[in-house]
Coordinates of all heavy atoms in Angstrom, one line a residue:
M1 N -11.6 -23.1 -2.6 CA -11.0 -21.6 -2.4 C -10.6 -21.3 -1.0 O -11.1 -21.9 -0.1 CB -12.2 -20.6 -2.8 CG -12.4 -20.5 -4.2 SD -13.8 -19.3 -4.4 CE -15.1 -20.2 -3.6
S2 N -9.5 -20.6 -1.0 CA -9.0 -20.3 0.4 C -8.9 -18.8 0.6 O -8.6 -18.1 -0.4 CB -7.7 -21.0 0.6 OG -6.8 -20.5 -0.2
G3 N -9.0 -18.2 1.8 CA -8.9 -16.8 2.1 C -7.5 -16.5 2.4 O -6.6 -17.2 2.1
F4 N -7.5 -15.3 3.0 CA -6.1 -14.9 3.5 C -6.0 -15.1 5.0 O -6.9 -14.8 5.8 CB -5.9 -13.5 3.2 CG -6.1 -13.0 1.7 CD1 -7.1 -12.4 1.2 CD2 -5.1 -13.3 0.8 CE1 -7.3 -12.1 -0.1 CE2 -5.1 -13.1 -0.4 CZ -6.2 -12.5 -1.0
W7 N -6.7 -12.4 7.5 CA -8.1 -12.1 7.8 C -8.6 -12.9 9.0 O -9.2 -12.4 9.9 CB -9.0 -12.3 6.6 CG -8.7 -11.5 5.4 CD1 -7.7 -10.5 5.4 CD2 -9.3 -11.3 4.2 NE1 -7.8 -9.8 4.2 CE2 -8.7 -10.3 3.5 CE3 -10.4 -12.1 3.7 CZ2 -9.1 -10.1 2.1 CZ3 -10.8 -11.8 2.4 CH2 -10.1 -10.8 1.6
F53 N -15.7 -6.0 8.8 CA -14.5 -6.0 7.9 C -14.6 -4.8 6.9 O -13.5 -4.2 6.7 CB -14.4 -7.3 7.2 CG -13.2 -7.5 6.5 CD1 -11.9 -8.0 7.1 CD2 -13.1 -7.1 5.1 CE1 -10.9 -8.3 6.3 CE2 -11.9 -7.3 4.4 CZ -10.8 -7.9 5.0
S54 N -15.8 -4.5 6.6 CA -16.0 -3.3 5.6 C -17.2 -2.5 6.1 O -18.3 -3.1 6.6 CB -16.0 -3.8 4.1 OG -17.2 -4.7 4.1
V63 N -24.2 0.1 5.9 CA -24.0 -1.4 5.4 C -22.7 -1.9 6.0 O -21.6 -1.2 5.9 CB -24.0 -1.5 3.9 CG1 -23.0 -0.6 3.2 CG2 -23.8 -2.9 3.4
G65 N -20.0 -5.3 6.2 CA -19.6 -6.6 5.7 C -19.2 -7.6 6.8 O -18.5 -7.1 7.8
A66 N -19.5 -8.8 6.6 CA -19.0 -10.0 7.7 C -18.4 -11.0 6.7 O -19.1 -11.9 6.3 CB -20.3 -10.4 8.4
V67 N -17.2 -10.7 6.5 CA -16.6 -11.5 5.2 C -16.4 -13.0 5.5 O -16.3 -13.7 4.5 CB -15.2 -10.8 5.0 CG1 -14.2 -11.2 6.1 CG2 -14.6 -11.2 3.7
L68 N -16.5 -13.5 6.8 CA -16.3 -14.9 7.1 C -17.5 -15.5 7.7 O -17.4 -16.6 8.3 CB -15.1 -15.0 7.9 CG -13.7 -14.7 7.4 CD1 -12.5 -15.0 8.3 CD2 -13.5 -15.2 6.0
D69 N -18.7 -14.9 7.5 CA -20.0 -15.5 7.8 C -20.1 -16.8 7.1 O -19.6 -16.9 6.0 CB -21.1 -14.6 7.6 CG -22.4 -15.0 8.1 OD1 -22.3 -16.0 9.0 OD2 -23.5 -14.4 7.8
G72 N -23.8 -19.4 3.6 CA -23.7 -20.1 2.4 C -22.7 -21.1 2.3 O -22.3 -21.5 1.1
G73 N -22.0 -21.4 3.4 CA -20.9 -22.4 3.4 C -19.7 -21.6 4.2 O -19.8 -20.5 4.3
S74 N -18.6 -22.4 4.5 CA -17.6 -21.8 5.3 C -17.0 -20.6 4.6 O -16.6 -20.7 3.5 CB -16.6 -22.8 5.6 OG -15.4 -22.3 6.3
N75 N -17.0 -19.5 5.3 CA -16.5 -18.2 4.9 C -17.1 -17.6 3.5 O -16.5 -17.0 2.7 CB -14.9 -18.4 4.6 CG -14.2 -18.8 5.9 OD1 -14.6 -18.5 6.9 ND2 -13.0 -19.4 5.7
S76 N -18.4 -18.0 3.4 CA -19.0 -17.6 2.1 C -19.2 -16.0 2.3 O -19.2 -15.3 1.3 CB -20.5 -18.3 2.0 OG -21.1 -18.1 3.2
G77 N -19.5 -15.4 3.6 CA -19.7 -14.1 3.7 C -21.0 -13.5 3.6 O -21.9 -14.2 3.0
S78 N -21.3 -12.3 4.2 CA -22.6 -11.7 4.2 C -22.4 -10.2 4.5 O -21.3 -9.8 4.8 CB -23.6 -12.4 5.2 OG -23.1 -12.2 6.4
A79 N -23.5 -9.5 4.5 CA -23.5 -8.1 4.8 C -24.8 -7.8 5.5 O -25.8 -8.4 5.3 CB -23.2 -7.2 3.7
L93 N -27.9 -9.3 3.9 CA -27.6 -9.5 2.5 C -26.7 -10.8 2.3 O -25.6 -10.7 2.9 CB -27.0 -8.2 2.0 CG -27.6 -6.9 2.3 CD1 -26.9 -5.8 1.5 CD2 -29.1 -6.9 1.8
T94 N -27.1 -11.5 1.5 CA -26.3 -12.8 1.0 C -26.4 -12.9 -0.6 O -27.4 -12.6 -1.1 CB -26.7 -13.9 1.8 OG1 -28.0 -14.3 1.5 CG2 -26.4 -13.8 3.2
A95 N -25.5 -13.5 -1.1 CA -25.5 -13.7 -2.6 C -26.5 -14.8 -2.9 O -26.5 -15.8 -2.1 CB -24.1 -14.0 -3.0
A96 N -27.3 -14.8 -3.8 CA -28.1 -15.8 -4.3 C -27.6 -17.0 -4.6 O -28.0 -18.2 -4.4 CB -29.0 -15.3 -5.5
D97 N -26.2 -16.9 -5.2 CA -25.5 -18.2 -5.4 C -24.3 -18.3 -4.5 O -23.2 -18.8 -5.0 CB -24.9 -18.1 -7.0 CG -24.0 -16.8 -7.1 OD1 -24.0 -16.0 -6.3 OD2 -23.4 -16.8 -8.3
A98 N -24.4 -18.0 -3.3 CA -23.3 -18.1 -2.4 C -22.7 -19.4 -2.2 O -23.4 -20.5 -2.3 CB -23.8 -17.6 -0.9
T99 N -21.4 -19.4 -2.1 CA -20.6 -20.8 -1.9 C -19.5 -20.6 -0.9 O -19.1 -19.4 -0.7 CB -20.2 -21.3 -3.3 OG1 -19.2 -20.3 -3.9 CG2 -21.3 -21.7 -4.3
A100 N -19.0 -21.6 -0.5 CA -17.8 -21.5 0.5 C -16.7 -20.9 0.0 O -16.3 -21.1 -1.3 CB -17.5 -22.9 1.0
G101 N -16.2 -20.0 0.8 CA -14.9 -19.3 0.5 C -15.0 -18.1 -0.4 O -14.1 -17.5 -0.8
D102 N -16.4 -17.7 -0.7 CA -16.5 -16.5 -1.6 C -15.9 -15.3 -1.1 O -15.6 -14.2 -1.6 CB -18.0 -16.3 -2.0 CG -18.2 -17.4 -3.2 OD1 -17.5 -18.0 -3.7 OD2 -19.5 -17.3 -3.5
Q103 N -16.1 -15.2 0.3 CA -15.8 -14.0 1.1 C -16.6 -12.6 0.5 O -16.0 -11.6 0.3 CB -14.2 -13.7 1.1 CG -13.5 -14.9 1.8 CD -12.1 -14.6 2.0 OE1 -11.5 -13.6 1.7 NE2 -11.5 -15.5 2.7
F104 N -17.9 -12.9 0.4 CA -18.9 -11.9 0.2 C -18.8 -10.9 1.4 O -18.9 -11.4 2.6 CB -20.2 -12.5 0.0 CG -21.4 -11.5 -0.1 CD1 -21.8 -11.3 -1.4 CD2 -22.0 -11.0 1.0 CE1 -23.0 -10.5 -1.5 CE2 -23.1 -10.2 0.7 CZ -23.6 -9.8 -0.4
G105 N -18.6 -9.5 1.2 CA -18.5 -8.6 2.2 C -17.2 -8.1 2.3 O -16.9 -7.2 3.2
Q106 N -16.2 -8.5 1.5 CA -14.9 -8.0 1.5 C -14.8 -6.5 1.3 O -14.0 -5.7 2.0 CB -14.0 -8.6 0.3 CG -13.0 -7.7 -0.3 CD -11.8 -7.6 0.5 OE1 -11.5 -8.4 1.4 NE2 -11.0 -6.5 0.3
S107 N -15.8 -6.0 0.5 CA -15.9 -4.5 0.2 C -17.5 -4.1 0.2 O -18.2 -5.0 -0.2 CB -15.2 -4.1 -1.0 OG -15.6 -4.8 -2.1
V108 N -17.8 -3.0 0.7 CA -19.1 -2.5 0.5 C -19.3 -1.1 0.2 O -18.3 -0.4 0.5 CB -20.0 -2.8 1.9 CG1 -20.0 -4.2 2.1 CG2 -19.4 -2.0 3.0
A109 N -20.3 -0.7 -0.4 CA -20.6 0.7 -0.7 C -22.1 1.0 -0.8 O -22.8 -0.1 -1.1 CB -19.9 1.2 -2.0
A115 N -27.1 -0.7 -2.7 CA -25.8 -1.1 -2.0 C -25.1 -2.1 -2.9 O -25.7 -2.8 -3.7 CB -26.2 -1.8 -0.7
V116 N -23.8 -1.9 -2.9 CA -22.9 -2.9 -3.7 C -22.0 -3.6 -2.8 O -21.5 -3.0 -1.9 CB -22.1 -2.3 -4.9 CG1 -21.4 -1.1 -4.3 CG2 -21.3 -3.1 -5.7
V117 N -21.8 -5.0 -2.9 CA -21.0 -5.7 -2.2 C -20.1 -6.6 -2.9 O -20.6 -7.4 -3.9 CB -21.9 -6.7 -1.2 CG1 -21.1 -7.6 -0.3 CG2 -22.9 -5.9 -0.4
G118 N -18.8 -6.6 -2.6 CA -17.9 -7.4 -3.3 C -17.5 -8.8 -2.7 O -17.6 -9.0 -1.5
A119 N -17.5 -9.7 -3.6 CA -17.1 -11.2 -3.2 C -15.9 -11.5 -3.8 O -15.8 -12.1 -5.0 CB -18.3 -12.1 -3.6
V120 N -14.8 -11.2 -3.4 CA -13.6 -11.1 -3.9 C -13.0 -12.6 -4.4 O -12.2 -12.5 -5.4 CB -12.5 -10.5 -3.0 CG1 -12.2 -11.3 -1.8 CG2 -11.2 -10.2 -3.6
L121 N -13.5 -13.7 -3.7 CA -13.0 -15.0 -4.1 C -14.1 -15.9 -4.8 O -13.9 -17.1 -4.8 CB -12.3 -15.7 -3.0 CG -11.3 -14.9 -2.3 CD1 -10.7 -15.7 -1.1 CD2 -10.1 -14.6 -3.2
D122 N -15.0 -15.3 -5.3 CA -16.0 -15.9 -6.1 C -15.4 -16.6 -7.3 O -14.4 -16.0 -7.8 CB -17.2 -15.0 -6.6 CG -18.4 -15.8 -7.1 OD1 -18.6 -16.9 -7.0 OD2 -19.2 -15.0 -7.8
D123 N -16.0 -17.6 -7.8 CA -15.3 -18.4 -8.9 C -15.9 -18.3 -10.3 O -15.7 -19.2 -11.2 CB -15.1 -19.9 -8.5 CG -14.3 -20.0 -7.2 OD1 -13.3 -19.2 -7.0 OD2 -14.5 -21.0 -6.4
D124 N -17.0 -17.5 -10.5 CA -17.6 -17.4 -11.8 C -16.7 -17.5 -13.1 O -17.0 -18.1 -14.1 CB -18.6 -16.3 -11.9 CG -19.8 -16.6 -11.0 OD1 -19.9 -17.5 -10.3 OD2 -20.9 -16.1 -11.4
G125 N -15.7 -16.7 -13.0 CA -14.8 -16.4 -14.1 C -13.5 -17.2 -14.0 O -12.7 -16.9 -14.8
G126 N -13.5 -18.2 -13.1 CA -12.3 -18.9 -12.8 C -12.1 -18.8 -11.3 O -12.5 -17.9 -10.6
S127 N -11.1 -19.7 -10.7 CA -10.8 -19.6 -9.3 C -10.5 -18.3 -8.8 O -9.5 -17.6 -9.4 CB -9.8 -20.6 -9.0 OG -9.4 -20.6 -7.7
N128 N -11.2 -17.7 -7.8 CA -10.8 -16.4 -7.3 C -11.0 -15.2 -8.1 O -10.1 -14.3 -8.1 CB -9.5 -16.4 -6.6 CG -9.3 -17.5 -5.5 OD1 -10.4 -17.9 -4.9 ND2 -8.2 -18.0 -5.2
S129 N -11.8 -15.4 -9.3 CA -11.9 -14.4 -10.3 C -12.6 -13.2 -9.7 O -12.4 -12.0 -9.9 CB -12.6 -14.8 -11.5 OG -13.9 -15.5 -11.1
G130 N -13.6 -13.5 -8.8 CA -14.3 -12.4 -8.0 C -15.6 -11.8 -8.7 O -15.7 -12.0 -9.9
S131 N -16.4 -11.2 -7.8 CA -17.6 -10.7 -8.4 C -18.2 -9.7 -7.3 O -17.6 -9.5 -6.4 CB -18.8 -11.8 -8.7 OG -19.1 -12.5 -7.3
A132 N -19.3 -9.0 -7.8 CA -19.9 -8.0 -6.9 C -21.4 -8.1 -7.1 O -21.8 -8.6 -8.2 CB -19.3 -6.7 -7.2
Y133 N -22.2 -7.7 -6.1 CA -23.6 -7.7 -6.2 C -24.3 -6.4 -5.8 O -23.8 -5.7 -5.0 CB -24.0 -8.8 -5.1 CG -23.5 -10.2 -5.4 CD1 -22.2 -10.5 -5.0 CD2 -24.4 -11.1 -6.0 CE1 -21.9 -12.0 -5.3 CE2 -24.0 -12.5 -6.1 CZ -22.6 -12.8 -5.9 OH -22.2 -14.1 -6.1
L134 N -25.4 -6.2 -6.5 CA -26.2 -5.0 -6.1 C -27.4 -5.4 -5.5 O -28.1 -6.4 -5.8 CB -26.7 -4.2 -7.5 CG -25.4 -3.7 -8.4 CD1 -25.9 -3.0 -9.6 CD2 -24.6 -2.7 -7.5
F135 N -27.9 -4.6 -4.5 CA -29.0 -4.8 -3.6 C -29.9 -3.5 -3.5 O -29.3 -2.4 -3.3 CB -28.7 -5.3 -2.3 CG -27.9 -6.5 -2.2 CD1 -26.5 -6.9 -2.4 CD2 -28.6 -7.7 -2.0 CE1 -25.9 -8.0 -2.4 CE2 -28.1 -9.1 -1.9 CZ -26.7 -9.1 -2.1
Q142 N -31.4 -8.8 -3.9 CA -30.4 -8.7 -4.9 C -31.0 -8.3 -6.2 O -32.0 -8.9 -6.7 CB -29.6 -10.0 -5.0 CG -28.6 -10.1 -6.0 CD -27.8 -11.4 -6.2 OE1 -27.6 -12.1 -5.2 NE2 -27.5 -11.8 -7.3
F144 N -28.7 -7.3 -9.1 CA -27.9 -7.8 -10.2 C -26.6 -8.3 -9.6 O -26.1 -8.0 -8.5 CB -27.4 -6.6 -11.1 CG -28.6 -6.0 -11.9 CD1 -29.1 -4.8 -11.5 CD2 -29.1 -6.6 -13.0 CE1 -30.2 -4.2 -12.2 CE2 -30.2 -6.0 -13.7 CZ -30.6 -4.8 -13.4
K145 N -25.9 -9.4 -10.4 CA -24.6 -9.7 -10.0 C -23.7 -9.2 -11.1 O -24.0 -9.3 -12.3 CB -24.5 -11.2 -10.1 CG -23.2 -11.8 -9.8 CD -23.2 -13.3 -9.7 CE -21.7 -13.8 -9.2 NZ -21.6 -15.2 -9.0
L146 N -22.6 -8.6 -10.6 CA -21.6 -8.0 -11.6 C -20.4 -8.7 -11.6 O -19.8 -9.2 -10.6 CB -21.1 -6.5 -11.0 CG -22.4 -5.6 -10.5 CD1 -21.8 -4.2 -10.1 CD2 -23.3 -5.3 -11.7
T147 N -20.0 -9.0 -12.9 CA -18.7 -9.8 -13.4 C -18.1 -9.1 -14.4 O -18.7 -8.4 -15.2 CB -19.0 -11.3 -13.6 OG1 -19.9 -11.3 -14.6 CG2 -19.6 -12.0 -12.3
A148 N -16.7 -9.2 -14.5 CA -16.0 -8.6 -15.6 C -16.2 -9.3 -16.8 O -16.3 -10.6 -16.9 CB -14.5 -8.5 -15.2
A151 N -13.3 -11.6 -17.4 CA -12.9 -12.3 -16.0 C -11.9 -13.5 -16.2 O -12.1 -14.1 -17.1 CB -14.2 -12.7 -15.2
A152 N -10.9 -13.6 -15.4 CA -10.1 -14.6 -15.3 C -9.6 -15.1 -13.9 O -9.9 -14.3 -13.0 CB -8.7 -14.2 -16.1
A153 N -9.2 -16.2 -13.9 CA -8.8 -16.7 -12.5 C -7.8 -15.7 -11.7 O -6.9 -15.1 -12.3 CB -8.2 -18.1 -12.7
D154 N -8.1 -15.6 -10.5 CA -7.2 -14.8 -9.6 C -7.2 -13.3 -9.8 O -6.3 -12.6 -9.3 CB -5.9 -15.3 -9.6 CG -5.8 -16.8 -9.1 OD1 -6.3 -17.1 -8.2 OD2 -5.0 -17.5 -9.8
D155 N -8.2 -12.8 -10.6 CA -8.2 -11.4 -10.8 C -8.6 -10.5 -9.5 O -8.2 -9.4 -9.3 CB -9.2 -10.9 -11.9 CG -8.7 -11.0 -13.3 OD1 -7.5 -11.4 -13.4 OD2 -9.5 -10.9 -14.2
Q156 N -9.4 -11.2 -8.6 CA -9.9 -10.6 -7.4 C -10.8 -9.4 -7.6 O -10.6 -8.3 -7.0 CB -8.8 -10.3 -6.4 CG -8.2 -11.6 -5.8 CD -7.3 -11.4 -4.7 OE1 -7.1 -10.3 -4.2 NE2 -6.6 -12.4 -4.2
F157 N -11.6 -9.5 -8.8 CA -12.6 -8.5 -9.0 C -13.5 -8.4 -7.7 O -14.1 -9.5 -7.2 CB -13.3 -9.0 -10.2 CG -14.5 -8.1 -10.6 CD1 -14.4 -7.2 -11.6 CD2 -15.8 -8.3 -9.9 CE1 -15.6 -6.4 -12.0 CE2 -17.0 -7.5 -10.4 CZ -16.8 -6.5 -11.3
G158 N -13.8 -7.2 -7.3 CA -14.6 -7.0 -6.0 C -13.8 -6.8 -4.8 O -14.3 -6.6 -3.7
Y159 N -12.4 -6.6 -4.9 CA -11.6 -6.3 -3.8 C -12.0 -4.9 -3.4 O -11.8 -4.8 -2.0 CB -10.1 -6.3 -4.2 CG -9.1 -6.2 -3.1 CD1 -8.7 -7.3 -2.6 CD2 -8.7 -5.1 -2.6 CE1 -7.9 -7.4 -1.4 CE2 -7.9 -5.0 -1.6 CZ -7.4 -6.1 -0.9 OH -6.6 -6.1 0.2
S160 N -12.4 -4.1 -4.2 CA -12.9 -2.7 -3.7 C -14.1 -2.4 -4.4 O -14.2 -2.8 -5.8 CB -11.8 -1.6 -4.0 OG -11.3 -1.8 -5.3
V161 N -14.9 -1.5 -4.0 CA -16.2 -1.2 -4.6 C -16.6 0.2 -4.3 O -16.2 0.8 -3.3 CB -17.5 -2.1 -4.4 CG1 -17.2 -3.4 -4.9 CG2 -17.8 -2.1 -2.9
G162 N -17.2 0.9 -5.2 CA -17.8 2.3 -5.0 C -19.0 2.6 -5.7 O -19.3 1.8 -6.7
V169 N -18.3 1.3 -9.3 CA -17.0 1.1 -9.7 C -16.4 -0.1 -9.0 O -16.6 -0.2 -7.8 CB -16.0 2.3 -9.7 CG1 -16.1 2.8 -8.3 CG2 -14.7 1.9 -10.1
V170 N -15.8 -1.0 -9.7 CA -15.3 -2.3 -9.0 C -13.9 -2.5 -9.3 O -13.5 -2.5 -10.4 CB -16.1 -3.5 -9.4 CG1 -15.7 -4.7 -8.7 CG2 -17.7 -3.2 -9.2
G171 N -13.0 -2.7 -8.3 CA -11.6 -2.8 -8.4 C -11.2 -4.5 -8.7 O -11.8 -5.2 -7.9
A172 N -10.3 -4.7 -9.5 CA -9.8 -6.0 -9.7 C -8.3 -5.9 -9.6 O -7.5 -5.8 -10.7 CB -10.1 -6.6 -11.1
R173 N -7.8 -6.0 -8.4 CA -6.4 -5.5 -8.1 C -5.3 -6.5 -8.8 O -4.1 -6.1 -9.0 CB -6.0 -5.4 -6.8 CG -6.1 -6.7 -5.9 CD -5.6 -6.7 -4.6 NE -5.7 -7.9 -3.9 CZ -5.0 -8.4 -2.9 NH1 -4.0 -7.5 -2.3 NH2 -4.9 -9.5 -2.3
L174 N -5.8 -7.6 -9.1 CA -4.7 -8.7 -9.6 C -4.9 -9.0 -11.1 O -4.5 -10.1 -11.6 CB -4.7 -10.0 -8.8 CG -4.3 -9.8 -7.4 CD1 -4.1 -11.1 -6.6 CD2 -3.0 -9.0 -7.1
F188 N -20.0 0.0 -14.0 CA -21.1 -0.6 -14.4 C -22.4 0.4 -14.2 O -22.3 1.1 -13.3 CB -21.4 -1.8 -13.5 CG -20.5 -2.9 -13.6 CD1 -19.2 -2.9 -13.0 CD2 -20.8 -4.0 -14.4 CE1 -18.3 -4.0 -13.2 CE2 -20.0 -5.0 -14.6 CZ -18.7 -5.1 -14.0
G211 N -6.5 -0.8 -8.6 CA -7.7 -1.3 -8.3 C -7.8 -1.8 -6.8 O -8.9 -2.2 -6.3
V214 N -10.9 2.0 -4.7 CA -11.7 2.9 -5.7 C -12.7 3.8 -5.0 O -13.1 3.7 -3.8 CB -12.5 2.0 -6.6 CG1 -11.6 1.0 -7.3 CG2 -13.6 1.1 -5.9

Side-chain angles (χ1 to χ4, degrees):
M1 288 176 295
S2 61
F4 302 103
W7 293 1
F53 189 89
S54 55
V63 56
V67 71
L68 298 185
D69 190 13
S74 178
N75 301 335
S76 55
S78 65
L93 311 179
T94 56
D97 60 347
T99 57
D102 280 353
Q103 296 191 357
F104 174 100
Q106 149 72 28
S107 53
V108 297
V116 57
V117 182
V120 68
L121 299 184
D122 189 17
D123 296 331
D124 277 20
S127 178
N128 302 336
S129 54
S131 64
Y133 298 79
L134 297 177
F135 292 85
Q142 178 182 317
F144 296 102
K145 179 174 183 176
L146 311 180
T147 57
D154 298 316
D155 278 355
Q156 292 192 5
F157 174 99
Y159 191 87
S160 56
V161 296
V169 56
V170 182
R173 65 167 183 158
L174 299 186
F188 291 85
V214 297

